[in-house]
C-alpha cells in the first residue's frame, strides 16, 4: 500500500514562532532550535505537547477528504530517557487526551534512536498528536507524520501564482523562502512546482530573481484580477502544464510547510474532492494568533462579505478543535461561499471549464470567481498565511469606489445575492454613513463607482479600468500627517486639541444616545436636513467643539458625532488624520446626485442586466485576457 510523508512537525525560529510558540507546542521546559541542523532541544525534565495548530494531524478532515487508511508518527531522539505518547482530540475535548495504548519508552542514549508510532484513529476523532515526557534534556529531529493511502498517489503539478505591486520587501522574502524550503528540498514537490510572480509595478529585478522554476513577469498595472489571470494563463502554458494553481497575495508571510501540505493533500484526495478549492486561512500579521477567515460568504440580506467562521485564536486548543469541526452551513445559510485569493488553490480543470476572472482590477474578483465556480472547499489547520489586518489599512478607493462598482458588476454577471436590491441597499448605506460623518468626498466616491457600473460592460472591457482606480485613489479623502493636522486645528481655533496627547481610547470611544437623539440622527442625517444645524441638539459653534473618531470608513460612532459640526478623523496606526466640517451645500449636492443615479438605474435596469450577462463569457475568456494583457 502506498504511503506519503504528509506533514512535518514544525519547530520554527521565525519572529512569529518565537512570539507565539503555542501555535507549535506547549511545554513547561525551555526549548531551543538549531536553525542549521533543524534539531530541537528540550532543556530539562518535563512535558512538551504537539497537539497544536501546526503540529497535530487533522484526522477528521483527512478521513473526509482523502484516501488515507493509516496514520503514523516518526521522529528521532537522543539524550535522557523519555516517553512518547499519542494524543487525540474529539469534538468537545477541552485539552489533549492521552491514548495510553500508543506509546514508546525510549532509553537514555547519546546516539540517535528512531521512533515510529502507529497512531490509533477512529471516525469521531478530530485531531491526533503526540506528547513527549522526558526525565531530562533531550534532542529531537526529523519528526513527521506519514499516511497509508488506498490507491496510487495522484500526479500533481502545482503552480504558485502571486501578483505584486511595489511590495518588494514581502515578495522577495517569499521568493527566497520558496527557493530554499520548497525547490531546494528533497521532497517530491521540488520536482513538480513552479512559481509565477506577476509584477504589476515592474519594479523587481526579474533577470536576477528568475530561475527555471521561478518566473518573474513584468506586467501592466492591471490589479489583482489581471495579475492572477496572467498567472493562470502562464501556469496553463508552462512547459509541464499545471494541474492546480495556488493564488496568493503579495503582502503576506507564508510558511512553506503550508504549501507542501497543500501539494500532499492534492495527491491523495478522494474523487469527489478532485475539483475542490483548497482555501488557506488568513491569520493576522500583527496579532499572529488571530485567525480572521478561511472561507467567506455573501450575506444575502446586506450584500457584504462575511467570514464563514467566527474569529478564532490558533494558540488555543479549544479553537483549533472548533476550527476543524465547524459547520459553515449553520452560519452561511442561504449565502454563497467563496475563497479569498490570499491563499486559494484552484484545479486547472475548473479554470478551463469556468473561465478567467472578471476584469475588475481589485475587490470582488475572488468573490465572484468562487461563487461562479461553486466548488467544494477544503480547509485544514496549518494551511494559512499571515496578512495585515484590514482594519488598519482602510482604503476608500477600494472600500467605496471598487466595492460598489465591482459588487454591482458581479451581481449582474454571476448573481452573488438573491437580488441586486441587496447591493443597492449597500450603496445607500455607504453613502448615508459617509454623509453622517461629513465625509462628502468618499460618499461621492461610492457614487462614482455606481456611475461607472452604469456605463455597462463596454466600459470595463477597456484598460481604462486601471486608470479609474488610480483616479479614485487621488480623489478619496486625504489624510495629512499629525503635525499638519495640528496646524489645521490651530488655524480653526479648535480648543484643547493636542495631537501629541491622543490615545486610542479617545479615538475609538463612542457615547450612548437617547431614543430622541437616535431619531434625530436618522431623520436628519446628523442634522443636515435642517436649515440651521444649531437646532435640535447641535452643539457649539464651528471653531470650538469637535468630535474625535476613527477615520476607518466602516466605523459609525453615532454618539460621539451627534449634534457636532466638526469631526476630527484619525488613522492612529499610520499617524494621520483630517478635519471634516458639516456642509449643507455639499450634503444637498451628494443626495441630489444619488437620487439622479438611482433613477437612471431603475430606468435602465433590464438593459444593463442583459448587457452584462451577454458580455460575461467574453470578459472571462482566455482570448480576451491575452489581448487585454498584451500576451502573445
Amino acid at each position: 500500500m502506498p504511503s506519503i510523508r504528509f506533514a512535518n512537525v514544525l519547530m520554527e525560529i521565525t519572529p512569529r514562532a518565537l512570539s507565539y510558540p503555542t501555535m507549535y507546542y506547549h511545554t513547561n521546559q525551555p526549548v531551543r532550535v538549531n536553525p542549521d541542523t533543524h534539531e530541537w532541544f528540550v532543556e530539562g525534565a518535563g512535558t512538551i505537547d504537539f497537539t497544536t495548530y501546526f503540529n497535530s494531524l487533522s484526522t477528521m478532515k483527512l478521513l473526509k477528504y482523502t484516501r488515507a487508511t493509516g496514520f503514523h508518527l516518526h521522529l528521532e531522539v537522543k539524550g535522557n530517557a523519555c516517553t512518547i505518547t499519542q494524543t487525540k482530540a474529539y469534538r468537545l475535548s477541552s485539552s489533549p487526551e492521552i491514548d495510553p495504548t500508543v506509546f514508546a519508552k525510549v532509553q537514555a542514549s547519546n546516539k540517535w534512536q528512531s521512533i515510529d508510532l502507529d497512531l490509533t484513529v477512529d471516525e469521531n476523532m478530530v485531531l491526533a498528536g503526540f506528547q513527549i515526557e522526558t526525565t531530562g534534556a533531550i534532542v529531537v529531529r526529523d519528526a513527521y507524520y506519514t499516511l497509508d493511502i488506498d490507491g496510487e498517489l495522484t500526479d500533481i503539478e502545482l503552480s504558485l501564482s502571486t501578483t505584486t505591486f511595489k511590495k518588494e520587501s514581502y515578495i522577495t522574502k517569499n521568493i527566497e523562502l520558496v527557493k530554499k524550503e520548497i525547490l531546494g528540498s528533497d521532497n517530491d514537490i521540488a520536482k513538480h512546482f513552479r512559481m509565477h510572480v506577476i509584477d504589476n509595478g515592474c519594479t523587481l529585478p526579474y533577470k536576477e530573481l528568475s530561475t527555471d522554476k521561478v518566473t518573474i513577469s513584468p506586467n501592466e498595472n492591471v490589479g489583482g484580477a489581471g495579475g492572477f489571470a496572467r498567472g493562470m494563463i502562464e501556469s496553463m502554458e508552462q512547459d509541464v502544464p499545471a494541474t492546480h494553481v495556488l493564488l496568493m497575495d503579495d503582502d503576506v508571510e507564508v510558511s512553506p510547510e503550508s504549501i507542501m501540505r497543500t501539494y500532499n493533500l492534492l495527491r491523495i484526495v478522494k474523487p469527489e474532492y478532485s475539483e475542490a478549492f483548497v482555501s488557506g486561512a488568513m491569520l493576522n500579521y500583527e496579532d499572529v494568533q488571530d485567525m480572521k477567515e478561511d472561507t467567506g460568504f455573501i450575506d444575502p440580506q446586506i450584500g457584504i462579505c462575511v467570514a464563514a467562521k467566527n474569529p478564532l485564536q490558533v494558540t488555543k486548543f479549544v479553537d483549533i478543535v472548533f476550527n476543524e469541526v465547524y459547520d459553515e452551513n449553520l452560519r452561511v445559510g442561504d449565502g454563497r461561499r467563496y475563497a479569498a485569493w490570499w491563499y486559494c488553490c484552484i484545479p486547472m480543470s475548473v479554470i478551463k471549464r469556468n473561465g478567467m476572472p472578471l476584469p475588475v482590477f481589485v475587490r470582488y474578483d475572488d468573490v465572484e470567481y468562487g461563487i461562479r465556480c461553486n466548488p467544494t472547499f477544503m480547509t485544514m489547520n496549518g494551511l494559512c498565511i499571515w496578512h495585515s489586518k484590514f482594519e488598519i489599512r482602510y482604503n476608500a478607493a477600494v472600500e467605496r469606489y471598487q466595492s460598489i462598482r465591482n459588487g454591482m458588476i458581479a451581481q449582474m454577471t454571476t448573481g452573488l445575492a438573491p437580488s441586486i436590491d441587496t447591493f443597492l441597499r449597500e450603496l445607500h448605506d455607504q453613502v448615508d454613513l459617509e454623509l453622517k460623518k461629513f465625509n462628502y468626498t468618499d460618499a461621492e466616491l461610492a457614487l462614482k463607482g455606481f456611475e461607472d457600473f452604469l456605463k455597462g460592460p463596454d466600459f470595463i472591457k477597456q484598460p481604462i479600468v486601471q486608470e479609474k482606480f488610480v483616479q479614485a485613489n487621488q480623489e478619496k479623502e486625504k489624510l495629512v500627517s499629525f503635525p499638519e493636522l495640528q496646524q489645521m486645528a490651530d488655524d480653526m481655533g479648535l480648543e484643547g486639541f493636542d495631537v501629541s496627547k491622543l490615545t486610542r481610547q479617545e479615538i475609538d470611544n463612542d457615547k450612548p444616545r437617547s431614543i430622541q437623539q437616535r431619531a434625530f440622527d436618522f431623520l436628519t442625517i446628523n442634522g443636515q436636513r435642517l436649515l440651521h444645524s444649531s437646532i435640535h441638539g447641535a452643539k457649539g459653534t464651528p471653531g470650538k467643539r469637535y468630535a474625535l473618531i476613527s477615520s476607518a470608513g466602516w466605523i459609525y460612532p453615532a454618539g460621539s458625532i451627534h449634534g457636532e459640526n466638526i469631526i476630527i478623523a484619525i488613522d492612529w496606526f499610520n499617524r494621520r488624520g483630517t478635519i471634516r466640517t458639516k456642509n449643507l451645500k455639499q450634503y444637498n449636492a451628494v443626495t441630489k446626485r444619488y437620487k439622479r443615479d438611482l433613477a437612471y438605474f431603475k430606468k435602465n435596469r433590464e438593459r444593463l442586466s442583459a448587457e452584462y450577462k451577454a458580455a460575461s463569457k467574453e470578459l472571462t475568456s482566455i482570448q480576451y485576457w491575452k489581448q487585454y494583457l498584451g500576451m502573445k
Side-chain angles (χ1 to χ4, degrees):
M1 179 176 292
S3 64
I4 186 172
R5 178 169 169 164
F6 179 75
N8 297 305
V9 176
L10 288 185
M11 295 296 285
E12 295 189 343
I13 54 171
T14 59
R16 65 170 178 266
L18 295 174
S19 297
Y20 296 90
T22 49
M23 291 191 299
Y24 303 87
Y25 60 89
H26 294 267
T27 185
N28 54 12
Q29 281 294 326
V31 176
R32 61 185 177 87
V33 181
N34 185 321
D36 298 320
T37 64
H38 299 289
E39 297 169 358
W40 27 286
F41 301 77
V42 182
E43 303 289 0
T47 301
I48 180 168
D49 186 278
F50 294 90
T51 324
T52 59
Y53 181 72
F54 275 109
N55 288 329
S56 61
L57 197 60
S58 299
T59 55
M60 187 188 73
K61 293 258 179 102
L62 288 168
L63 288 173
K64 178 180 179 181
Y65 299 150
T66 77
R67 295 173 278 120
T69 58
F71 304 82
H72 313 279
L73 170 70
H74 171 87
L75 70 163
E76 297 180 13
V77 184
K78 70 178 179 179
N80 287 279
C82 63
T83 301
I84 303 164
T85 309
Q86 178 184 340
T87 57
K88 55 188 180 180
Y90 292 92
R91 291 175 181 270
L92 297 180
S93 295
S94 59
S95 61
E97 301 179 25
I98 296 293
D99 187 336
T101 67
V102 183
F103 67 95
K105 286 187 176 293
V106 183
Q107 300 300 315
S109 175
N110 291 326
K111 295 183 179 179
W112 289 108
Q113 302 180 69
S114 291
I115 309 300
D116 291 283
L117 291 181
D118 296 329
L119 303 177
T120 299
V121 174
D122 63 68
E123 62 182 8
N124 295 315
M125 189 182 298
V126 178
L127 303 173
F130 67 102
Q131 184 181 99
I132 303 176
E133 187 174 357
T134 177
T135 60
I138 61 169
V139 188
V140 185
R141 71 179 184 185
D142 203 24
Y144 56 85
Y145 295 102
T146 61
L147 310 178
D148 297 329
I149 305 301
D150 179 17
E152 297 302 315
L153 300 176
T154 304
D155 292 332
I156 297 296
E157 296 292 332
L158 181 60
S159 168
L160 171 62
S161 173
T162 183
T163 300
T164 185
F165 181 77
K166 299 182 179 179
K167 297 283 195 325
E168 293 84 357
S169 62
Y170 284 97
I171 195 65
T172 54
K173 182 179 179 181
N174 287 335
I175 291 171
E176 292 308 312
L177 274 174
V178 165
K179 288 180 178 179
K180 179 182 177 182
E181 302 294 337
I182 297 179
L183 295 173
S185 74
D186 57 3
N187 295 324
D188 187 75
I189 188 175
K191 297 178 288 186
H192 302 281
F193 183 85
R194 288 284 299 268
M195 183 177 189
H196 296 271
V197 180
I198 313 303
D199 181 15
N200 282 353
C202 298
T203 56
L204 294 175
Y206 64 93
K207 291 182 179 179
E208 177 184 326
L209 293 174
S210 294
T211 68
D212 60 331
K213 295 285 189 176
V214 177
T215 302
I216 315 295
S217 300
N219 203 42
E220 292 292 328
N221 184 20
V222 288
F228 285 126
R230 180 163 190 153
M232 290 177 177
I233 295 172
E234 287 188 359
S235 301
M236 193 182 299
E237 298 182 347
Q238 64 190 34
D239 294 342
V240 181
T243 61
H244 294 76
V245 183
L246 174 57
L247 306 180
M248 190 173 77
D249 273 349
D250 60 340
D251 54 346
V252 302
E253 186 172 322
V254 65
S255 171
E257 178 69 16
S258 292
I259 298 175
M260 289 191 279
R261 291 182 189 181
T262 299
Y263 172 79
N264 291 334
L265 176 63
L266 296 173
R267 299 192 74 197
I268 60 176
V269 293
K270 294 175 179 176
E272 57 264 40
Y273 286 93
S274 63
E275 290 196 326
F277 285 17
V278 180
S279 182
M282 187 190 88
L283 276 57
N284 281 342
Y285 188 84
E286 294 77 17
D287 300 317
V288 173
Q289 82 282 14
D290 290 350
M291 177 177 149
K292 177 71 174 179
E293 177 183 316
D294 59 11
T295 60
F297 69 101
I298 293 291
D299 189 308
Q301 303 303 317
I302 54 178
I304 63 172
C305 301
V306 181
K309 294 179 180 176
N310 296 323
L312 301 172
Q313 290 192 323
V314 300
T315 51
K316 295 180 178 179
F317 175 81
V318 292
D319 277 10
I320 67 168
V321 174
F322 188 61
N323 189 38
E324 296 294 85
V325 303
Y326 192 99
D327 184 356
E328 289 86 351
N329 293 324
L330 294 178
R331 186 176 191 196
V332 173
D334 295 331
R336 306 187 66 185
R337 273 175 85 193
Y338 63 87
W341 286 353
W342 50 64
Y343 190 106
C344 178
C345 188
I346 305 174
M348 187 61 75
S349 58
V350 175
I351 295 172
K352 290 180 177 179
R353 184 169 62 252
N354 292 282
M356 311 297 286
L358 283 171
V360 291
F361 199 82
V362 295
R363 191 47 59 91
Y364 278 100
D365 48 348
D366 49 1
V367 176
E368 183 276 335
Y369 194 80
I371 290 176
R372 188 197 330 156
C373 294
N374 191 29
T376 301
F377 295 99
M378 294 188 290
T379 64
M380 188 176 292
N381 283 341
L383 303 184
C384 65
I385 51 86
W386 285 266
H387 200 301
S388 290
K389 292 186 287 189
F390 290 119
E391 54 263 36
I392 64 174
R393 56 192 187 98
Y394 177 83
N395 182 350
V398 173
E399 304 300 338
R400 294 296 177 251
Y401 175 78
Q402 290 289 141
S403 289
I404 289 298
R405 189 197 70 184
N406 296 349
M408 296 286 184
I409 292 170
Q411 177 62 26
M412 283 289 192
T413 58
T414 306
L416 309 188
S419 168
I420 199 167
D421 293 339
T422 302
F423 288 89
L424 291 175
R425 286 195 296 272
E426 175 65 6
L427 170 65
H428 172 271
D429 291 346
Q430 286 195 15
V431 172
D432 187 65
L433 177 58
E434 298 294 11
L435 290 177
K436 287 177 179 176
K437 297 188 294 183
F438 312 152
N439 189 353
Y440 309 105
T441 300
D442 289 349
E444 290 181 324
L445 208 55
L447 290 177
K448 183 176 182 180
F450 185 49
E451 289 161 1
D452 282 348
F453 152 73
L454 294 175
K455 294 175 182 177
D458 286 342
F459 171 75
I460 67 166
K461 285 181 182 179
Q462 308 304 319
I464 193 173
V465 171
Q466 65 205 49
E467 298 171 11
K468 286 291 184 179
F469 178 68
V470 173
Q471 187 178 351
N473 262 314
Q474 295 170 344
E475 294 179 1
K476 68 185 180 184
E477 181 182 58
K478 296 296 183 292
L479 304 184
V480 300
S481 67
F482 274 5
E484 293 174 281
L485 182 66
Q486 184 66 62
Q487 188 61 55
M488 290 171 61
D490 293 343
D491 292 345
M492 293 177 66
L494 300 185
E495 297 177 354
F497 179 74
D498 186 344
V499 73
S500 67
K501 296 181 179 179
L502 288 177
T503 65
R504 284 189 59 190
Q505 181 180 5
E506 293 177 279
I507 298 167
D508 296 336
N509 188 43
D510 196 9
K511 301 173 184 177
R513 291 180 298 164
S514 66
I515 295 177
Q516 292 82 0
Q517 288 172 332
R518 290 173 180 270
F520 172 81
D521 292 340
F522 175 76
L523 294 172
T524 69
I525 313 299
N526 198 14
Q528 293 171 100
R529 285 180 176 168
L530 303 177
L531 294 176
H532 302 288
S533 61
S534 60
I535 64 174
H536 292 294
K539 299 176 287 187
T541 57
K544 302 300 180 184
R545 295 186 61 94
Y546 60 87
L548 189 65
I549 69 170
S550 168
S551 63
W554 41 65
I555 300 299
Y556 180 41
S560 293
I561 66 175
H562 170 76
E564 298 287 5
N565 295 315
I566 297 173
I567 293 173
I568 303 179
I570 301 292
D571 175 0
W572 63 266
F573 186 84
N574 294 298
R575 300 179 64 80
R576 302 180 70 80
T578 192
I579 300 176
R580 306 167 184 164
T581 303
K582 182 185 295 183
N583 187 312
L584 298 184
K585 182 178 180 180
Q586 284 185 283
Y587 166 80
N588 289 326
V590 172
T591 53
K592 182 178 180 181
R593 180 177 175 181
Y594 169 69
K595 292 176 182 177
R596 181 194 66 206
D597 290 346
L598 201 59
Y600 179 89
F601 170 75
K602 290 179 179 178
K603 182 178 179 180
N604 294 276
R605 179 171 180 163
E606 298 303 321
R607 174 183 62 81
L608 287 167
S609 178
E611 289 178 357
Y612 275 111
K613 281 184 172 60
S616 61
K617 187 172 183 179
E618 176 191 354
L619 294 173
T620 59
S621 68
I622 295 174
Q623 181 180 2
Y624 165 81
W625 270 108
K626 280 191 168 184
Q627 181 180 2
Y628 187 94
L629 296 168
M631 299 176 70
K632 294 181 181 179

